Amino acid sequence: MSGDGLRQRKKDAKAKKTSGTPATKYPEISSIKSSILLFIAMFTIGFLALYPVWEPVPPSRGVSAVDFSADVPKREATVEAFKHAWLAYERDAMGDDEYHPISHKGSNLSESGGIGYTVVDSIDTMFMMHLDEEAQRAREWIATELSFDREGKFNTFETTIRVLGGLLSAYHLSGNDPLYLEKAKDLADRILPVFDTPSGLPLSMVNLAQRKGISDVDNRGFVSTAEAATLQLEFKYLSLLTDEEIYWEKAEKVMEVIKGSHLTTGLASIFMNPEDGRFVLSAIRLGSRGDSYYEYLLKQYIQTNLSEPVYRVMYDDAMNGVLTHLVQKSQKAGLTYTSELIPERSMGGEISWRLTPKQDHLVCFFGGSLMLGAITTGSATGKVSVPPRADELTEQGKRDWLAGVELIETCMRTHDTATGLSPEIVHFRIPNDGIDGSGAAQDWYIKGARPGEFPPYDARYILRPETVESLFIAFRLTGNRLYRDYGWAIFESIQKYCRIESGGYASVVNVDEVPVRHEDKMETFFMSETLKYLYLLFEDANVLPLSQYVFNTEAHPFPIFHPSIRTGFS
Ligand code: DMJ
């Protein structure tokens, strides 16, 4: 395939660009500049005390000799688990978007029929696990049944990361089976109209049959930052494969808009306005609606083999903001965690930011991401050792590595529950938080959980992958067996509490309650991400090495490439 088209497009984009693109700052954000500055000062002082010592691995656990070969029995146990999930789905709901393993039923995202949400999301895991017969049947369904000519409101981001991402990695891992690329292109062409907004930020929903973007009325037409900024790996890889520039341009434009309106702290509020491309005054967090914005800054830099420095700048900036303003230490055990910043308006209209010690399980991707970033933008020497030595990393690299290691430890501590599973959301103790009783003794608690009452939303485990995703990355970057041990403990808990005897796996409604109560749903990311990352954690590290692959946010691996082009904006 040729990169010439892309190269020319980049030149054109540069020519079109007027110098000094005006900063598009959200007015309310600039009006609180002084609070932010005060905030920066306060947290910079606090931060200096956070990361004084270089310990490339958790110090109390030690490092075994680096051994990257497969742990075959454990790896095969994850394959057995995948088959238990897939075969039940295939038996009860083949082709349906979602699976309900207790009622043995499937359901679709729209009444007009499924879009391969589960089948497409799962097929690359089958390739990796060498489940050839299952993969062949999935392919057959895609060839004969899969249609994107579906009426309804489909989420732009979810459809892109799960279905477009799944098709693209299936294309690569199948040795370029044209079926997957053909389907990917059909889907992407139906999604493209979402970018036709005044700013270029995509609308949140799409009607695939009508090829029409739809505003998210529930959120006043605003688009979440993570969703807008987590389409880029997929559209850029498709652009490379098809040599069609439109996919690249649309995805890259979003990044240009975000860069143009970014906040002085390097942080990003969770909502943006697709009309004017500006941030809307809203929470700042690493959790829902914020998470993969930060993930894709780094991964876009990695995807094009470190050839687009603009993403390095944006990522480094963002990490300075996150490490300065959001990362905190818990009171008792000194656990590293991330807080959220919630904007509050006083009666007089003044804005201030309240630091809230709430961490979604979604944030647990961030430990591994920080470690990957540390050896990428934080490398002082180019290639680094496994694990990296202090002298191979810049000051920022060391800071991010240590924070990543510590954050993974914290995420593991949130698995200290009756089931060994981590809740959807935890809160950390802060002075004068009014917490007493059972939650008071430890650093974190599940808000609103009371014995004898129906558990709050925060208490559930919905088969999410983020902790094992970080464990996979941490193992690859350190060779420390501890991370395999952690992953195995989580896998055993999933086996014990989420596995449904008749087939499939289900969410649990309260991680702190045994025997568990199930919710009748197996999320597609269980087969796409959770079991895949567990499999790869125990697989030989030569398989899908991080030096050659970048995983999209749904764990679909794409090869890293060097397009020999410059970024169209800076
Ligand atoms: C996945 O669909 C993706 O990882 C996404 O970025 C957010 N989280 C879910 C799984 O938890």
Side-chain angles (χ1 to χ4, degrees), residues 102-120:
I102 296 171
S103 55
H104 295 195
K105 288 195 176 114
S107 61
N108 286 321
L109 300 170
S110 106
E111 285 181 3
S112 73
I115 58 166
Y117 224 48
T118 294
V119 177
V120 177

Side-chain angles (χ1 to χ4, degrees), residues 134-367:
E134 286 80 358
Q136 187 50 41
R137 294 197 298 273
R139 186 198 184 280
E140 187 59 22
W141 183 87
I142 291 169
T144 57
E145 306 282 337
L146 178 60
S147 167
F148 296 124
D149 198 18
R150 303 288 190 208
E151 292 285 344
K153 285 199 293 187
F154 298 93
N155 181 288
T156 303
F157 156 80
E158 299 288 3
T159 307
T160 299
I161 64 167
R162 299 186 200 211
V163 189
L164 183 58
L167 288 166
L168 291 171
S169 67
Y171 175 71
H172 175 74
L173 295 178
S174 64
N176 300 357
D177 180 339
L179 170 71
Y180 301 116
L181 186 56
E182 190 190 301
K183 291 286 182 189
K185 185 166 160 32
D186 177 33
L187 176 60
D189 289 342
R190 292 167 187 273
I191 295 174
L192 270 185
V194 301
F195 295 100
D196 295 337
T197 59
S199 67
L201 294 183
L203 294 177
S204 302
M205 312 279 188
V206 58
N207 182 318
L208 294 173
Q210 293 178 22
R211 299 169 188 257
K212 200 172 148 205
I214 302 168
S215 282
D216 180 2
V217 284
D218 293 342
N219 286 300
R220 295 157 57 202
F222 298 144
V223 54
S224 78
T225 307
E227 294 191 3
T230 313
L231 313 165
Q232 284 65 25
L233 296 188
E234 297 78 3
F235 277 84
K236 288 177 174 180
Y237 184 40
L238 179 64
S239 184
L240 179 88
L241 294 175
T242 58
D243 202 22
E244 288 193 30
E245 298 167 16
I246 183 91
Y247 307 121
W248 193 295
E249 282 171 3
K250 296 290 184 185
E252 186 179 70
K253 173 70 184 169
V254 174
M255 301 313 298
E256 189 176 359
V257 170
I258 292 177
K259 185 163 188 285
S261 37
H262 90 291
L263 307 184
T264 47
T265 53
L267 298 170
S269 290
I270 58 170
F271 281 109
M272 298 191 80
N273 187 342
E275 289 297 309
D276 62 12
R278 293 179 177 183
F279 281 107
V280 175
L281 188 66
S282 49
I284 292 174
R285 61 175 175 239
L286 268 299
S288 65
R289 298 186 181 279
D291 48 5
S292 47
Y293 164 67
Y294 301 95
E295 178 186 354
Y296 268 33
L297 288 181
L298 175 65
K299 288 185 172 177
Q300 284 178 87
Y301 185 51
I302 292 173
Q303 182 182 33
T304 51
N305 204 14
L306 318 187
S307 66
E308 296 181 286
V310 65
Y311 297 113
R312 177 193 185 121
V313 171
M314 290 177 80
Y315 175 75
D316 284 348
D317 225 31
M319 290 308 101
N320 286 335
V322 168
L323 272 290
T324 306
H325 301 303
L326 301 185
V327 171
Q328 306 291 318
K329 290 278 189 186
S330 70
Q331 292 183 76
K332 296 187 178 178
L335 302 177
T336 298
Y337 69 94
T338 66
S339 281
E340 301 185 0
L341 282 170
I342 310 294
E344 288 177 333
R345 198 189 294 267
S346 72
M347 297 290 275
E350 298 259 294
I351 307 290
S352 60
W353 293 87
R354 183 165 47 85
L355 199 63
T356 308
K358 163 177 174 278
Q359 182 175 289
D360 296 351
H361 183 266
L362 289 167
V363 178
C364 290
F365 86 93
F366 191 52

Side-chain angles (χ1 to χ4, degrees), residues 441-461:
Q442 57 186 33
D443 277 292
W444 63 268
Y445 60 99
I446 301 171
K447 196 171 182 178
R450 286 180 201 89
E453 291 184 17
F454 193 79
Y457 174 86
D458 297 13
R460 65 190 50 214
Y461 173 65

Side-chain angles (χ1 to χ4, degrees), residues 121 157-158 161-162 226 230 291-292 295-296 361-362 365 424 462-466 469 523-526 529-530 533 552-555:
D121 215 8
F157 156 80
E158 299 288 3
I161 64 167
R162 299 186 200 211
T230 313
D291 48 5
S292 47
E295 178 186 354
Y296 268 33
H361 183 266
L362 289 167
F365 86 93
E424 179 73 359
I462 62 166
L463 304 168
R464 284 200 190 277
E466 284 74 16
E469 171 182 352
E523 295 278 355
T524 77
F525 48 69
F526 180 61
E529 294 194 72
T530 310
Y533 281 128
N552 90 337
T553 193
E554 187 74 3

